[in-house]
PDB file of all heavy atoms in Angstrom:
ATOM      1  N   THR B  13      94.698 106.467  86.713  1.00  0.00           N
ATOM      2  CA  THR B  13      95.216 107.242  85.582  1.00  0.00           C
ATOM      3  C   THR B  13      95.963 108.491  86.039  1.00  0.00           C
ATOM      4  O   THR B  13      96.352 109.313  85.212  1.00  0.00           O
ATOM      5  CB  THR B  13      94.061 107.661  84.649  1.00  0.00           C
ATOM      6  OG1 THR B  13      93.107 108.430  85.402  1.00  0.00           O
ATOM      7  CG2 THR B  13      93.374 106.445  84.057  1.00  0.00           C
ATOM      8  N   LEU B  14      96.173 108.647  87.354  1.00  0.00           N
ATOM      9  CA  LEU B  14      96.888 109.822  87.853  1.00  0.00           C
ATOM     10  C   LEU B  14      98.279 109.996  87.235  1.00  0.00           C
ATOM     11  O   LEU B  14      98.716 111.128  87.020  1.00  0.00           O
ATOM     12  CB  LEU B  14      97.003 109.759  89.377  1.00  0.00           C
ATOM     13  CG  LEU B  14      95.753 110.119  90.170  1.00  0.00           C
ATOM     14  CD1 LEU B  14      96.010 109.928  91.656  1.00  0.00           C
ATOM     15  CD2 LEU B  14      95.324 111.550  89.895  1.00  0.00           C
ATOM     16  N   PRO B  15      99.036 108.911  86.952  1.00  0.00           N
ATOM     17  CA  PRO B  15     100.344 109.116  86.323  1.00  0.00           C
ATOM     18  C   PRO B  15     100.288 109.867  84.999  1.00  0.00           C
ATOM     19  O   PRO B  15     101.304 110.453  84.579  1.00  0.00           O
ATOM     20  CB  PRO B  15     100.862 107.684  86.125  1.00  0.00           C
ATOM     21  CG  PRO B  15     100.215 106.897  87.219  1.00  0.00           C
ATOM     22  CD  PRO B  15      98.837 107.488  87.330  1.00  0.00           C
ATOM     23  N   LEU B  16      99.124 109.887  84.330  1.00  0.00           N
ATOM     24  CA  LEU B  16      99.018 110.624  83.072  1.00  0.00           C
ATOM     25  C   LEU B  16      99.093 112.129  83.282  1.00  0.00           C
ATOM     26  O   LEU B  16      99.364 112.876  82.341  1.00  0.00           O
ATOM     27  CB  LEU B  16      97.693 110.270  82.380  1.00  0.00           C
ATOM     28  CG  LEU B  16      97.488 108.792  82.004  1.00  0.00           C
ATOM     29  CD1 LEU B  16      96.110 108.597  81.388  1.00  0.00           C
ATOM     30  CD2 LEU B  16      98.574 108.339  81.040  1.00  0.00           C
ATOM     31  N   PHE B  17      98.868 112.590  84.516  1.00  0.00           N
ATOM     32  CA  PHE B  17      98.873 114.017  84.802  1.00  0.00           C
ATOM     33  C   PHE B  17     100.243 114.515  85.261  1.00  0.00           C
ATOM     34  O   PHE B  17     100.404 115.693  85.574  1.00  0.00           O
ATOM     35  CB  PHE B  17      97.826 114.344  85.871  1.00  0.00           C
ATOM     36  CG  PHE B  17      96.423 114.071  85.442  1.00  0.00           C
ATOM     37  CD1 PHE B  17      95.830 112.840  85.696  1.00  0.00           C
ATOM     38  CD2 PHE B  17      95.690 115.030  84.761  1.00  0.00           C
ATOM     39  CE1 PHE B  17      94.528 112.582  85.303  1.00  0.00           C
ATOM     40  CE2 PHE B  17      94.390 114.776  84.351  1.00  0.00           C
ATOM     41  CZ  PHE B  17      93.806 113.548  84.622  1.00  0.00           C
ATOM     42  N   PHE B  18     101.229 113.628  85.336  1.00  0.00           N
ATOM     43  CA  PHE B  18     102.556 113.992  85.800  1.00  0.00           C
ATOM     44  C   PHE B  18     103.605 113.501  84.810  1.00  0.00           C
ATOM     45  O   PHE B  18     103.441 112.458  84.186  1.00  0.00           O
ATOM     46  CB  PHE B  18     102.853 113.367  87.167  1.00  0.00           C
ATOM     47  CG  PHE B  18     101.940 113.826  88.264  1.00  0.00           C
ATOM     48  CD1 PHE B  18     100.727 113.183  88.484  1.00  0.00           C
ATOM     49  CD2 PHE B  18     102.300 114.877  89.088  1.00  0.00           C
ATOM     50  CE1 PHE B  18      99.890 113.586  89.505  1.00  0.00           C
ATOM     51  CE2 PHE B  18     101.465 115.286  90.116  1.00  0.00           C
ATOM     52  CZ  PHE B  18     100.259 114.646  90.324  1.00  0.00           C
ATOM     53  N   ASP B  19     104.691 114.234  84.701  1.00  0.00           N
ATOM     54  CA  ASP B  19     105.873 113.796  83.968  1.00  0.00           C
ATOM     55  C   ASP B  19     107.026 113.683  84.949  1.00  0.00           C
ATOM     56  O   ASP B  19     107.265 114.593  85.753  1.00  0.00           O
ATOM     57  CB  ASP B  19     106.239 114.785  82.858  1.00  0.00           C
ATOM     58  CG  ASP B  19     105.257 114.736  81.702  1.00  0.00           C
ATOM     59  OD1 ASP B  19     104.760 113.639  81.411  1.00  0.00           O
ATOM     60  OD2 ASP B  19     104.986 115.796  81.110  1.00  0.00           O
ATOM     61  N   GLU B  20     107.723 112.571  84.902  1.00  0.00           N
ATOM     62  CA  GLU B  20     108.855 112.382  85.792  1.00  0.00           C
ATOM     63  C   GLU B  20     109.882 113.493  85.586  1.00  0.00           C
ATOM     64  O   GLU B  20     110.245 113.825  84.459  1.00  0.00           O
ATOM     65  CB  GLU B  20     109.493 111.013  85.537  1.00  0.00           C
ATOM     66  CG  GLU B  20     110.610 110.668  86.489  1.00  0.00           C
ATOM     67  CD  GLU B  20     111.151 109.273  86.262  1.00  0.00           C
ATOM     68  OE1 GLU B  20     110.382 108.420  85.774  1.00  0.00           O
ATOM     69  OE2 GLU B  20     112.332 109.050  86.567  1.00  0.00           O
ATOM     70  N   GLY B  21     110.318 114.089  86.667  1.00  0.00           N
ATOM     71  CA  GLY B  21     111.291 115.178  86.606  1.00  0.00           C
ATOM     72  C   GLY B  21     110.671 116.557  86.618  1.00  0.00           C
ATOM     73  O   GLY B  21     111.393 117.559  86.730  1.00  0.00           O
ATOM     74  N   ASP B  22     109.337 116.644  86.514  1.00  0.00           N
ATOM     75  CA  ASP B  22     108.675 117.946  86.562  1.00  0.00           C
ATOM     76  C   ASP B  22     108.698 118.503  87.980  1.00  0.00           C
ATOM     77  O   ASP B  22     108.479 117.770  88.951  1.00  0.00           O
ATOM     78  CB  ASP B  22     107.224 117.828  86.096  1.00  0.00           C
ATOM     79  CG  ASP B  22     107.109 117.749  84.591  1.00  0.00           C
ATOM     80  OD1 ASP B  22     108.144 117.870  83.913  1.00  0.00           O
ATOM     81  OD2 ASP B  22     105.982 117.543  84.097  1.00  0.00           O
ATOM     82  N   GLU B  23     108.933 119.805  88.091  1.00  0.00           N
ATOM     83  CA  GLU B  23     108.844 120.472  89.384  1.00  0.00           C
ATOM     84  C   GLU B  23     107.440 121.048  89.527  1.00  0.00           C
ATOM     85  O   GLU B  23     106.939 121.745  88.641  1.00  0.00           O
ATOM     86  CB  GLU B  23     109.884 121.585  89.509  1.00  0.00           C
ATOM     87  CG  GLU B  23     109.887 122.235  90.879  1.00  0.00           C
ATOM     88  CD  GLU B  23     111.039 123.218  91.063  1.00  0.00           C
ATOM     89  OE1 GLU B  23     111.912 123.285  90.177  1.00  0.00           O
ATOM     90  OE2 GLU B  23     111.059 123.916  92.099  1.00  0.00           O
ATOM     91  N   LEU B  24     106.805 120.743  90.630  1.00  0.00           N
ATOM     92  CA  LEU B  24     105.424 121.145  90.840  1.00  0.00           C
ATOM     93  C   LEU B  24     105.323 122.641  91.106  1.00  0.00           C
ATOM     94  O   LEU B  24     106.252 123.266  91.620  1.00  0.00           O
ATOM     95  CB  LEU B  24     104.823 120.376  92.013  1.00  0.00           C
ATOM     96  CG  LEU B  24     104.826 118.851  91.877  1.00  0.00           C
ATOM     97  CD1 LEU B  24     104.276 118.204  93.135  1.00  0.00           C
ATOM     98  CD2 LEU B  24     104.025 118.416  90.658  1.00  0.00           C
ATOM     99  N   GLU B  25     104.163 123.185  90.739  1.00  0.00           N
ATOM    100  CA  GLU B  25     103.892 124.595  90.967  1.00  0.00           C
ATOM    101  C   GLU B  25     102.763 124.746  91.974  1.00  0.00           C
ATOM    102  O   GLU B  25     101.913 123.863  92.113  1.00  0.00           O
ATOM    103  CB  GLU B  25     103.496 125.281  89.655  1.00  0.00           C
ATOM    104  CG  GLU B  25     104.581 125.255  88.588  1.00  0.00           C
ATOM    105  CD  GLU B  25     104.128 125.929  87.305  1.00  0.00           C
ATOM    106  OE1 GLU B  25     102.930 126.282  87.222  1.00  0.00           O
ATOM    107  OE2 GLU B  25     104.952 126.091  86.391  1.00  0.00           O
ATOM    108  N   ASP B  26     102.740 125.879  92.687  1.00  0.00           N
ATOM    109  CA  ASP B  26     101.647 126.134  93.609  1.00  0.00           C
ATOM    110  C   ASP B  26     100.495 126.803  92.874  1.00  0.00           C
ATOM    111  O   ASP B  26     100.511 126.947  91.642  1.00  0.00           O
ATOM    112  CB  ASP B  26     102.113 126.974  94.804  1.00  0.00           C
ATOM    113  CG  ASP B  26     102.633 128.347  94.394  1.00  0.00           C
ATOM    114  OD1 ASP B  26     102.331 128.813  93.269  1.00  0.00           O
ATOM    115  OD2 ASP B  26     103.354 128.967  95.205  1.00  0.00           O
ATOM    116  N   GLU B  27      99.472 127.221  93.631  1.00  0.00           N
ATOM    117  CA  GLU B  27      98.277 127.791  93.015  1.00  0.00           C
ATOM    118  C   GLU B  27      98.568 129.090  92.271  1.00  0.00           C
ATOM    119  O   GLU B  27      97.825 129.472  91.369  1.00  0.00           O
ATOM    120  CB  GLU B  27      97.216 128.029  94.088  1.00  0.00           C
ATOM    121  CG  GLU B  27      96.727 126.747  94.739  1.00  0.00           C
ATOM    122  CD  GLU B  27      95.745 127.014  95.863  1.00  0.00           C
ATOM    123  OE1 GLU B  27      95.523 128.193  96.174  1.00  0.00           O
ATOM    124  OE2 GLU B  27      95.201 126.038  96.421  1.00  0.00           O
ATOM    125  N   ASP B  28      99.654 129.763  92.646  1.00  0.00           N
ATOM    126  CA  ASP B  28     100.014 131.021  91.990  1.00  0.00           C
ATOM    127  C   ASP B  28     101.003 130.832  90.851  1.00  0.00           C
ATOM    128  O   ASP B  28     101.505 131.816  90.289  1.00  0.00           O
ATOM    129  CB  ASP B  28     100.609 131.982  93.027  1.00  0.00           C
ATOM    130  CG  ASP B  28      99.623 132.311  94.136  1.00  0.00           C
ATOM    131  OD1 ASP B  28      98.430 132.434  93.827  1.00  0.00           O
ATOM    132  OD2 ASP B  28     100.061 132.436  95.298  1.00  0.00           O
ATOM    133  N   GLY B  29     101.303 129.572  90.530  1.00  0.00           N
ATOM    134  CA  GLY B  29     102.227 129.304  89.436  1.00  0.00           C
ATOM    135  C   GLY B  29     103.688 129.357  89.831  1.00  0.00           C
ATOM    136  O   GLY B  29     104.567 129.274  88.969  1.00  0.00           O
ATOM    137  N   GLU B  30     103.987 129.473  91.126  1.00  0.00           N
ATOM    138  CA  GLU B  30     105.368 129.521  91.593  1.00  0.00           C
ATOM    139  C   GLU B  30     105.890 128.102  91.803  1.00  0.00           C
ATOM    140  O   GLU B  30     105.166 127.212  92.263  1.00  0.00           O
ATOM    141  CB  GLU B  30     105.462 130.305  92.901  1.00  0.00           C
ATOM    142  CG  GLU B  30     105.000 131.746  92.800  1.00  0.00           C
ATOM    143  CD  GLU B  30     105.925 132.587  91.938  1.00  0.00           C
ATOM    144  OE1 GLU B  30     107.139 132.267  91.886  1.00  0.00           O
ATOM    145  OE2 GLU B  30     105.443 133.551  91.322  1.00  0.00           O
ATOM    146  N   LEU B  31     107.188 127.884  91.487  1.00  0.00           N
ATOM    147  CA  LEU B  31     107.793 126.579  91.691  1.00  0.00           C
ATOM    148  C   LEU B  31     107.915 126.279  93.180  1.00  0.00           C
ATOM    149  O   LEU B  31     108.225 127.163  93.982  1.00  0.00           O
ATOM    150  CB  LEU B  31     109.170 126.526  91.024  1.00  0.00           C
ATOM    151  CG  LEU B  31     109.167 126.638  89.492  1.00  0.00           C
ATOM    152  CD1 LEU B  31     110.595 126.656  88.963  1.00  0.00           C
ATOM    153  CD2 LEU B  31     108.382 125.483  88.865  1.00  0.00           C
ATOM    154  N   THR B  32     107.668 125.033  93.549  1.00  0.00           N
ATOM    155  CA  THR B  32     107.616 124.655  94.964  1.00  0.00           C
ATOM    156  C   THR B  32     108.880 123.987  95.478  1.00  0.00           C
ATOM    157  O   THR B  32     109.015 123.780  96.686  1.00  0.00           O
ATOM    158  CB  THR B  32     106.449 123.693  95.190  1.00  0.00           C
ATOM    159  OG1 THR B  32     106.676 122.492  94.429  1.00  0.00           O
ATOM    160  CG2 THR B  32     105.130 124.338  94.782  1.00  0.00           C
ATOM    161  N   GLY B  33     109.779 123.600  94.587  1.00  0.00           N
ATOM    162  CA  GLY B  33     110.954 122.853  95.020  1.00  0.00           C
ATOM    163  C   GLY B  33     110.686 121.372  95.198  1.00  0.00           C
ATOM    164  O   GLY B  33     111.535 120.638  95.712  1.00  0.00           O
ATOM    165  N   VAL B  34     109.518 120.912  94.759  1.00  0.00           N
ATOM    166  CA  VAL B  34     109.153 119.495  94.836  1.00  0.00           C
ATOM    167  C   VAL B  34     109.126 118.929  93.424  1.00  0.00           C
ATOM    168  O   VAL B  34     108.372 119.413  92.570  1.00  0.00           O
ATOM    169  CB  VAL B  34     107.789 119.292  95.513  1.00  0.00           C
ATOM    170  CG1 VAL B  34     107.442 117.808  95.567  1.00  0.00           C
ATOM    171  CG2 VAL B  34     107.783 119.896  96.914  1.00  0.00           C
ATOM    172  N   THR B  35     109.936 117.923  93.185  1.00  0.00           N
ATOM    173  CA  THR B  35     110.049 117.313  91.862  1.00  0.00           C
ATOM    174  C   THR B  35     109.463 115.907  91.886  1.00  0.00           C
ATOM    175  O   THR B  35     109.694 115.148  92.830  1.00  0.00           O
ATOM    176  CB  THR B  35     111.523 117.245  91.422  1.00  0.00           C
ATOM    177  OG1 THR B  35     112.066 118.569  91.407  1.00  0.00           O
ATOM    178  CG2 THR B  35     111.650 116.639  90.032  1.00  0.00           C
ATOM    179  N   VAL B  36     108.715 115.581  90.849  1.00  0.00           N
ATOM    180  CA  VAL B  36     108.091 114.260  90.756  1.00  0.00           C
ATOM    181  C   VAL B  36     109.131 113.232  90.334  1.00  0.00           C
ATOM    182  O   VAL B  36     109.708 113.329  89.252  1.00  0.00           O
ATOM    183  CB  VAL B  36     106.926 114.269  89.753  1.00  0.00           C
ATOM    184  CG1 VAL B  36     106.340 112.868  89.605  1.00  0.00           C
ATOM    185  CG2 VAL B  36     105.857 115.258  90.170  1.00  0.00           C
ATOM    186  N   ASN B  37     109.369 112.266  91.199  1.00  0.00           N
ATOM    187  CA  ASN B  37     110.205 111.122  90.842  1.00  0.00           C
ATOM    188  C   ASN B  37     109.358 109.953  90.343  1.00  0.00           C
ATOM    189  O   ASN B  37     109.721 109.269  89.393  1.00  0.00           O
ATOM    190  CB  ASN B  37     111.030 110.662  92.045  1.00  0.00           C
ATOM    191  CG  ASN B  37     112.131 111.638  92.403  1.00  0.00           C
ATOM    192  OD1 ASN B  37     112.500 112.500  91.611  1.00  0.00           O
ATOM    193  ND2 ASN B  37     112.654 111.520  93.616  1.00  0.00           N
ATOM    194  N   GLU B  38     108.240 109.735  91.023  1.00  0.00           N
ATOM    195  CA  GLU B  38     107.296 108.691  90.637  1.00  0.00           C
ATOM    196  C   GLU B  38     105.895 109.221  90.906  1.00  0.00           C
ATOM    197  O   GLU B  38     105.568 109.573  92.042  1.00  0.00           O
ATOM    198  CB  GLU B  38     107.539 107.402  91.417  1.00  0.00           C
ATOM    199  CG  GLU B  38     106.640 106.254  90.993  1.00  0.00           C
ATOM    200  CD  GLU B  38     106.967 104.962  91.726  1.00  0.00           C
ATOM    201  OE1 GLU B  38     107.820 104.996  92.626  1.00  0.00           O
ATOM    202  OE2 GLU B  38     106.353 103.930  91.400  1.00  0.00           O
ATOM    203  N   ALA B  39     105.090 109.309  89.880  1.00  0.00           N
ATOM    204  CA  ALA B  39     103.756 109.894  90.020  1.00  0.00           C
ATOM    205  C   ALA B  39     102.914 109.092  91.001  1.00  0.00           C
ATOM    206  O   ALA B  39     103.054 107.874  91.105  1.00  0.00           O
ATOM    207  CB  ALA B  39     103.056 109.944  88.665  1.00  0.00           C
ATOM    208  N   PRO B  40     102.030 109.776  91.745  1.00  0.00           N
ATOM    209  CA  PRO B  40     101.118 109.039  92.626  1.00  0.00           C
ATOM    210  C   PRO B  40     100.296 108.049  91.813  1.00  0.00           C
ATOM    211  O   PRO B  40      99.735 108.393  90.776  1.00  0.00           O
ATOM    212  CB  PRO B  40     100.256 110.140  93.242  1.00  0.00           C
ATOM    213  CG  PRO B  40     100.410 111.323  92.347  1.00  0.00           C
ATOM    214  CD  PRO B  40     101.780 111.226  91.773  1.00  0.00           C
ATOM    215  N   ASP B  41     100.221 106.823  92.302  1.00  0.00           N
ATOM    216  CA  ASP B  41      99.606 105.751  91.523  1.00  0.00           C
ATOM    217  C   ASP B  41      98.964 104.758  92.482  1.00  0.00           C
ATOM    218  O   ASP B  41      99.390 104.606  93.629  1.00  0.00           O
ATOM    219  CB  ASP B  41     100.680 105.048  90.685  1.00  0.00           C
ATOM    220  CG  ASP B  41     100.085 104.154  89.611  1.00  0.00           C
ATOM    221  OD1 ASP B  41      98.856 104.180  89.419  1.00  0.00           O
ATOM    222  OD2 ASP B  41     100.861 103.408  88.973  1.00  0.00           O
ATOM    223  N   ASP B  42      97.925 104.096  92.015  1.00  0.00           N
ATOM    224  CA  ASP B  42      97.306 103.037  92.803  1.00  0.00           C
ATOM    225  C   ASP B  42      96.680 102.013  91.874  1.00  0.00           C
ATOM    226  O   ASP B  42      96.407 102.295  90.704  1.00  0.00           O
ATOM    227  CB  ASP B  42      96.271 103.583  93.792  1.00  0.00           C
ATOM    228  CG  ASP B  42      95.113 104.312  93.129  1.00  0.00           C
ATOM    229  OD1 ASP B  42      94.397 103.688  92.310  1.00  0.00           O
ATOM    230  OD2 ASP B  42      94.896 105.493  93.428  1.00  0.00           O
ATOM    231  N   ASN B  43      96.470 100.826  92.393  1.00  0.00           N
ATOM    232  CA  ASN B  43      95.788  99.771  91.661  1.00  0.00           C
ATOM    233  C   ASN B  43      95.104  98.861  92.669  1.00  0.00           C
ATOM    234  O   ASN B  43      95.449  98.848  93.866  1.00  0.00           O
ATOM    235  CB  ASN B  43      96.751  98.989  90.753  1.00  0.00           C
ATOM    236  CG  ASN B  43      97.862  98.326  91.546  1.00  0.00           C
ATOM    237  OD1 ASN B  43      97.664  97.296  92.186  1.00  0.00           O
ATOM    238  ND2 ASN B  43      99.053  98.921  91.519  1.00  0.00           N
ATOM    239  N   ASP B  44      94.138  98.097  92.224  1.00  0.00           N
ATOM    240  CA  ASP B  44      93.451  97.156  93.105  1.00  0.00           C
ATOM    241  C   ASP B  44      92.843  96.030  92.284  1.00  0.00           C
ATOM    242  O   ASP B  44      92.666  96.148  91.058  1.00  0.00           O
ATOM    243  CB  ASP B  44      92.375  97.856  93.945  1.00  0.00           C
ATOM    244  CG  ASP B  44      91.371  98.643  93.120  1.00  0.00           C
ATOM    245  OD1 ASP B  44      90.672  98.025  92.288  1.00  0.00           O
ATOM    246  OD2 ASP B  44      91.287  99.864  93.291  1.00  0.00           O
TER     247      ASP B  44
END
C-alpha cells in the first residue's frame, strides 16, 4: 500500500520540510 502515500509528480521533502530536488515518478511498490 506504499503507493497510497505518494502522488506522482510530488517533490519529496526532508525532515525539516525543505524540498530535496527528488520527484516521485513511480511510487515504491512491491507484490508477491
Side-chain angles (χ1 to χ4, degrees):
T13 58
L14 283 177
L16 299 177
F17 296 92
F18 297 87
D19 288 325
E20 185 176 333
D22 282 356
E23 184 173 352
L24 301 177
E25 298 179 353
D26 62 19
E27 296 176 356
D28 299 323
E30 300 292 331
L31 295 177
T32 63
V34 180
T35 301
V36 177
N37 289 343
E38 184 176 5
D41 194 7
D42 61 59
N43 60 77
D44 54 61

